[in-house]
Amino acid sequence: MAPTPCSRRALLLLLCALLSLLRRSSAGNSRVQTAVNITWSSINFKTLLQWEPEPINYVYTVEIDGNLMNRDKTCIHTTKTECDVTNMMKNVRDTYIARIYSEVPYEEDNYDTPPYGVSLPFIPYDQTEIGIPTIKYFEQRDKTLKIEIADPLIPYRSENGSFQTIRDIFKDDLKYTVYYWKDQSTGKKMSTERSNQFELSVDKGKSYCFYVQATVTSGSGSRNSPKSIEKCTSQEDLNRLDLDTILIIVAIATGVLLLMIILAVVVCKCAKAKAAAKKKEDMPPNL
């Protein structure tokens, strides 16, 4: 039986409707791109997630998943391509992955999982970079150069509310190395300690320069921090120290001299008093 004109018209309308839906679906998919080039950037446990491309007419939502945590979302419906995920990674030994969803925010009735990109795994303890060490204090006195290094702070707080340091996390896995040399000299020495305090033997009266580098040893190997700012002891400081020593010696000598003078005066007075008393005893009674 041949189709009637009405049935042909209905079939044509249905075909047009299907083509229209396909065009809409194709247009919708073309304006949403999946996140690519996803990278972790972490220094002293402050961790950022970065990706591409810049969104146009859509947004991103970041989801963090760890072995020891439930999936949780952050940076919801952001138009940026960077997200600070530090507070979601407080268990620094856990292994995390990130999913970055590309979403059209006004399509609330779309229950399908939006397209997403997945990051490589990230372990903060093994992969965070160590920041530049800071020289807190240094002093050269006689044949000793004392140096104290400030342990870098991290974003996490201890129970008393103060910020923790990388030493609180890495403990014995953290060590410092001081590289030092005589000013205007090319010969360089080094000293490594797990402490942040150094006492180095140096030549008296010579100025020294130095810098510090931190090293962390963990399961993935050793990581070195960038070098600290170079510091130098000055000849003026050394001369001032020598002057202080001289002043101390002069003060002690003056004190000893005054004490000797006082003792001499007291002894002299005592001798005169004894002599006067003896003279009085030797005088005849009628005088």
Side-chain angles (χ1 to χ4, degrees):
M1 180 178 178
T4 65
C6 289
S7 62
R8 285 201 299 269
R9 185 177 300 171
L11 185 61
L12 182 61
L13 289 174
L14 179 60
L15 182 60
C16 290
L18 288 173
L19 288 173
S20 177
L21 287 174
L22 287 173
R23 287 195 194 98
R24 290 182 184 178
S25 176
S26 176
N29 289 336
S30 65
R31 71 174 184 268
V32 175
Q33 298 186 54
T34 302
V36 295
N37 296 332
I38 303 171
T39 57
W40 301 93
S41 174
S42 182
I43 300 177
N44 293 339
F45 296 103
K46 180 175 178 60
T47 304
L48 302 177
L49 193 65
Q50 298 166 322
W51 63 91
E52 295 176 345
E54 296 284 343
I56 299 176
N57 297 327
Y58 67 97
V59 292
Y60 292 111
T61 293
V62 176
E63 181 181 72
I64 301 297
D65 187 12
N67 293 337
L68 303 176
M69 65 170 285
N70 296 324
R71 292 186 185 184
D72 198 6
K73 292 183 178 181
T74 185
C75 296
I76 298 173
H77 291 177
T78 181
T79 57
K80 299 178 181 179
T81 56
E82 180 179 278
C83 181
D84 188 338
V85 293
T86 302
N87 290 331
M88 305 186 75
M89 299 184 167
K90 293 183 178 180
N91 189 337
V92 298
R93 291 182 181 269
D94 198 0
T95 301
Y96 299 92
I97 62 168
R99 296 177 181 86
I100 302 175
Y101 294 94
S102 302
E103 302 172 319
V104 180
Y106 49 80
E107 293 184 354
E108 300 294 342
D109 57 344
N110 187 357
Y111 296 100
D112 294 333
T113 301
Y116 61 89
V118 182
S119 72
L120 293 173
F122 181 76
I123 305 173
Y125 190 92
D126 291 339
Q127 294 175 258
T128 193
E129 297 178 11
I130 310 304
I132 300 174
T134 300
I135 308 301
K136 184 177 181 180
Y137 165 84
F138 68 94
E139 177 188 51
Q140 184 177 344
R141 186 180 292 274
D142 293 333
K143 295 184 178 181
T144 302
L145 173 59
K146 294 183 179 181
I147 301 171
E148 183 176 354
I149 304 157
D151 291 324
L153 297 174
I154 64 174
Y156 305 131
R157 295 180 182 271
S158 58
E159 293 182 357
N160 62 11
S162 62
F163 283 105
Q164 293 180 300
T165 69
I166 61 171
R167 183 172 298 279
D168 294 320
I169 303 298
F170 290 118
K171 297 182 171 59
D172 289 341
D173 286 343
L174 171 67
K175 59 185 178 182
Y176 291 106
T177 300
V178 174
Y179 298 87
Y180 62 105
W181 61 95
K182 291 180 185 178
D183 195 10
Q184 307 300 323
S185 172
T186 57
K188 188 180 294 184
K189 297 181 180 180
M190 59 178 288
S191 177
T192 300
E193 296 284 350
R194 296 196 182 276
S195 168
N196 65 335
Q197 296 182 352
F198 288 77
E199 289 193 6
L200 306 174
S201 297
V202 295
D203 293 340
K204 184 177 180 180
K206 300 291 185 180
S207 298
Y208 278 80
C209 297
F210 64 93
Y211 63 82
V212 178
Q213 195 169 28
T215 300
V216 169
T217 304
S218 63
S220 61
S222 295
R223 284 161 287 159
N224 293 326
S225 74
K227 299 174 183 177
S228 71
I229 297 175
E230 186 178 301
K231 298 285 188 179
C232 293
T233 60
S234 67
Q235 196 63 41
E236 292 180 0
D237 293 336
L238 297 179
N239 292 338
R240 189 182 69 248
L241 291 174
D242 291 340
L243 179 60
D244 291 344
T245 303
I246 293 172
L247 291 175
I248 292 172
I249 293 173
V250 170
I252 293 174
T254 302
V256 172
L257 181 60
L258 289 174
L259 182 60
M260 292 176 63
I261 293 172
I262 292 171
L263 288 175
V265 171
V266 171
V267 170
C268 184
K269 287 184 176 181
C270 289
K272 288 182 179 180
K274 287 182 180 180
K278 182 172 178 54
K279 184 177 180 181
K280 188 174 181 181
E281 289 176 359
D282 293 341
M283 290 179 66
N286 58 345
L287 292 179

